[in-house]
């Protein structure tokens, strides 16, 4: 059943201070003879969409990988539109426009007077990289890894080595996987730290980078392989990863998941049934949306998992509890027949299941935005923006010209933690992964410590521990299971692991603690 339409848009409205700019979503140059379409109320719909659009060919991001121009006369799920816009090898935002800010020389924090001087220094370094090109020009953004190098990377290394020395050294190698490694700066800082301060650990270290971008993979190899022979860079999407890693390992996802594609769903305000969003692209390259009952397996799986975890849909509590109130509400003049758009992290769920399937003994260290300003309308909505002549320009819709705009989402870390811990309890169905086949160590024995049952000595199982893996003891030799993950603010994590004296300004301010207050860690 197709429930709604009337969400077509010719223009993506961009918000600038004290002015208003527009960017065409069309791939063609606008002609004066064409009628200007209107942005309709995003929460009010007619009964049926354009029949021509509904009959367009259905595609996904994989189908468009070899396309050198954005497609026309097609339809797709919203996550496929976002993924194609960001990652298409020929016109995607990251391959085409994006550049990660990096400086040849680290910032000398201790010799800076205060935070104002620090921010001026960052702005000055930005100016040296900014150039104008086709479209909005070169897109540059900074990450804490680059801004605070090498001290941010050393804090990550200190976290990893502390856990490794406590639990695995010397019986297991230190195995690290990183996705979205950018310029390779974090990997370099971590490995330099291990080589200089923990040489024996460094000898047992294997560092694997999984990188979707071919150009960044080449950059990472050039930066790392001359100094660190223990690095492997694989140019592949983590969503296509199928190689099992039976050994204990650390999995790093730093400033990555904010660019994971989301799906868009809305709820029928009468029945509370969810509907999946479909975006259509017409022959002019303009976008429209409509909604159908959920048929996509990944969307259905996410909704089922959320229901199982007790995470309610974003609908007012009274409307959820009282069908009569919903009936009255939907009969009001101009009342929307669907809820506000909700962006759900379906690709993030794919990552968690990949970790559970291929990395059963991993420890996840993940960091990203927990909240964002200037988002488009909707629940858990993204920021859509570009840099125009050095000015950040946010837009009010996700449906913008492919490849010209960054699209990044906040993460609800509490819900992510619940989802992550639940996914880890699902049965591992990887056909080629058998824990008993991994290399023998004192931490994996042929006689399982669980042979007599995990509750042999006590029926008590700590709520902060996961269910033990059959055949794998903890560092203490007891089948107590790994510690569950916890959520930390950026400042809490850095206060625990960073050498804060290195990033302290003369005024006593510390940008390492005071910046990125909207960032959290999951570990």
């Amino acid at each position: 059943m197709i429930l709604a339409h009337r969400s077509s848009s010719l223009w993506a409205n961009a918000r600038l201070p004290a002015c208003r700019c527009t960017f065409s979503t069309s791939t063609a140059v606008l002609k004066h003879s064409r009628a200007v379409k209107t942005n309709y109320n995003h929460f009010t719909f007619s009964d049926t969409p354009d029949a021509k659009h509904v009959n367009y060919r259905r595609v996904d991001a994989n189908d468009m990988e070899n396309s050198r121009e954005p497609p026309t006369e097609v339809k797709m799920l919203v996550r496929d539109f976002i993924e194609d816009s960001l990652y298409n090898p020929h016109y995607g935002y990251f391959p085409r426009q994006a550049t990660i800010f990096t400086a040849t020389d680290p910032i000398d924090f201790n010799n800076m007077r205060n935070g104002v001087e620090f921010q001026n220094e960052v702005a000055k370094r930005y100016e040296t990289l900014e150039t104008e090109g086709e479209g909005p020009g070169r897109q540059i953004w900074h990450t804490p890894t680059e801004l605070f190098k090498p001290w941010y990377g050393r804090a990550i290394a200190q976290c990893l080595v502390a856990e490794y020395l406590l639990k695995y050294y010397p019986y297991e190698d230190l195995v690290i996987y990183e996705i979205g490694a950018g310029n390779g700066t974090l990997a370099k800082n971590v490995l330099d730290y291990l080589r200089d301060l923990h040489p024996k650990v460094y000898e047992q270290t294997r560092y694997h980078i999984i990188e979707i971008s071919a150009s960044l993979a080449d950059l990472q190899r050039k930066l790392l392989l001359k100094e660190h022979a223990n690095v492997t860079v694989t140019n592949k999407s983590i969503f296509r990863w199928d190689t099992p890693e039976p050994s204990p390992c650390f999995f790093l996802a730093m400033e990555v998941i904010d660019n994971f594609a989301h799906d868009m769903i809305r709820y029928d305000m009468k029945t509370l049934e969810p509907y999946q969003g479909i975006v259509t692209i017409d022959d002019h390259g303009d976008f429209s949306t409509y909604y159908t009952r959920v048929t996509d397996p990944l969307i259905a799986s996410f909704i089922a998992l959320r229901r199982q975890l007790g995470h309610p849909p974003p609908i007012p509590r009274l409307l959820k509890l009282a069908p009569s109130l919903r009936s009255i509400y939907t009969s009001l003049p101009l009342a929307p027949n669907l809820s506000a758009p909700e962006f759900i992290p379906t690709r993030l769920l794919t990552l968690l299941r990949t970790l559970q399937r291929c990395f059963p003994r991993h420890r996840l260290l993940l960091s990203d935005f927990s909240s964002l300003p200037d988002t488009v309308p909707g629940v858990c909505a993204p920021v859509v923006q570009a840099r125009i002549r050095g000015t950040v320009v946010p837009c009010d819709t996700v449906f913008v010209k492919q490849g010209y705009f960054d699209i990044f989402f906040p993460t609800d870390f509490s819900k992510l933690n619940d989802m992550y811990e639940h996914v880890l309890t699902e049965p591992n169905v990887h056909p080629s992964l058998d824990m008993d086949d991994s290399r023998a160590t004192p931490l994996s024995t042929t006689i399982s410590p669980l042979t007599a049952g995990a509750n042999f000595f006590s029926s008590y199982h700590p709520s902060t521990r996961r269910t033990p893996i059959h055949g794998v003891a903890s560092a203490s030799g007891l089948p107590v299971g790994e510690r569950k993950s916890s959520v930390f603010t950026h400042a809490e994590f850095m206060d625990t692991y960073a050498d804060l004296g290195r990033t302290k300004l003369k005024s006593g301010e510390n940008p390492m603690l005071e910046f990125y207050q909207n960032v959290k860690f999951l570990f």
Side-chain angles (χ1 to χ4, degrees), residues 234-249:
T234 303
N235 180 205
K236 190 173 187 177
S237 169
I238 184 60
F239 302 125
R240 295 178 178 175
W241 192 262
D242 56 1
T243 304
E245 174 57 79
S247 300
C249 63

Side-chain angles (χ1 to χ4, degrees), residues 78-190:
V78 172
R79 75 165 180 266
D80 290 307
F81 174 81
I82 294 172
E83 194 160 303
D84 182 61
S85 297
L86 293 178
Y87 298 110
N88 184 283
H90 304 290
Y91 54 79
Y93 173 80
F94 287 105
R96 176 189 175 98
Q97 302 283 356
T99 301
I100 302 173
F101 167 81
T102 187
T104 53
D105 300 318
I107 295 174
D108 188 357
F109 294 94
N110 295 155
N111 284 325
M112 290 193 165
R113 290 191 305 274
N114 52 36
V116 173
E117 184 177 349
F118 167 70
Q119 294 194 55
N120 289 338
E121 175 65 20
V122 173
K124 187 188 305 181
R125 297 189 181 205
Y126 254 89
E127 288 176 3
T128 64
L129 294 174
E130 294 249 55
T131 58
E132 290 303 316
E134 183 183 352
R138 194 176 185 184
Q139 301 296 292
I140 303 169
W141 80 98
H142 63 73
T143 66
T145 299
E146 299 289 349
L147 202 58
F148 299 113
K149 72 176 185 182
W151 313 117
Y152 181 89
R154 286 177 169 243
I156 301 300
Q158 175 57 32
C159 172
L160 301 181
V161 78
E163 290 289 316
Y164 173 71
L165 291 174
L166 177 66
K167 299 185 62 178
Y168 301 117
Y169 181 80
Y171 306 115
E172 298 280 1
D173 289 343
L174 174 54
V175 182
I176 303 171
Y177 283 82
E178 183 184 1
I179 59 171
N183 293 335
T185 302
L186 178 63
K188 176 174 170 49
N189 294 159
V190 168

Side-chain angles (χ1 to χ4, degrees), residues 456-469:
F456 181 76
F457 296 102
S458 171
S459 60
Y460 170 71
H461 184 77
S463 60
T464 57
R465 294 275 180 174
R466 296 171 186 157
T467 302
I469 299 176

Side-chain angles (χ1 to χ4, degrees), residues 3 5 25 36 53 55 65 73 101 134 148 152 170 222 226 258 275 299 311 357 369 374 412 444 451 481 495 504 506:
L3 186 67
H5 183 231
T25 61
V36 177
H53 290 201
N55 292 323
E65 273 188 345
E73 298 187 82
F101 167 81
E134 183 183 352
F148 299 113
Y152 181 89
K222 291 177 183 177
K226 287 183 181 179
D258 59 307
Y275 283 73
I299 296 176
H311 296 165
R357 185 179 70 253
F369 297 112
D374 293 322
D412 186 322
S444 59
T451 300
D495 192 45
K504 191 174 183 179
K506 289 181 177 180

